[in-house]
Amino acid sequence: MILQFGTALPDLRRLLHMDLEAASWLFSVRYIGFLVGCLLFGWLYDRYDRMLMMCVCAAGTGLTTLLTPYCLHYAHAVALRVVGGVFAGGVDAGR
């Protein structure tokens, strides 16, 4: 997933009119969300059905990945990357 985003980064930079420093935050915020997702979903996996939580996380990760190219504003892209990171962290915590 990271490699796919890395190859799309030049196009996203052009579409969102951002410099390289701002674009690098799209990678960083995903890992911030990943950390939060690991902690949050690790707790939720202990309390609720593991398979249900895994399906929610996998669906959320897929949906946020599919929606990323359709972000028209930088703030939307950052928010979507954070949410995607939370779900990706949940997938990792459930393995």
Side-chain angles (χ1 to χ4, degrees):
M1 189 170 1
I2 298 300
L3 293 176
Q4 293 170 348
F5 186 72
T7 57
L9 187 62
D11 292 329
L12 281 174
R13 280 185 58 201
R14 197 169 32 253
L15 287 171
L16 297 175
H17 309 291
M18 60 182 155
D19 60 358
L20 186 58
E21 184 178 341
S24 68
W25 273 101
L26 292 176
F27 286 98
S28 299
V29 296
R30 180 164 177 91
Y31 291 110
I32 293 168
F34 192 91
L35 174 64
V36 171
C38 282
L39 296 172
L40 174 67
F41 281 101
W43 179 76
L44 289 173
Y45 277 122
D46 290 339
R47 282 156 181 68
Y48 300 104
D49 183 31
R50 294 181 70 82
M51 191 56 70
L52 174 66
M53 290 290 105
M54 182 62 82
C55 289
V56 167
C57 291
T61 301
L63 184 64
T64 57
T65 301
L66 288 174
L67 290 176
T68 299
Y70 298 104
C71 291
L72 299 177
H73 302 287
Y74 178 70
H76 296 156
V78 168
L80 195 63
R81 293 290 290 174
V82 170
V83 172
V86 169
F87 285 123
V91 170
D92 191 59
R95 288 194 283 162

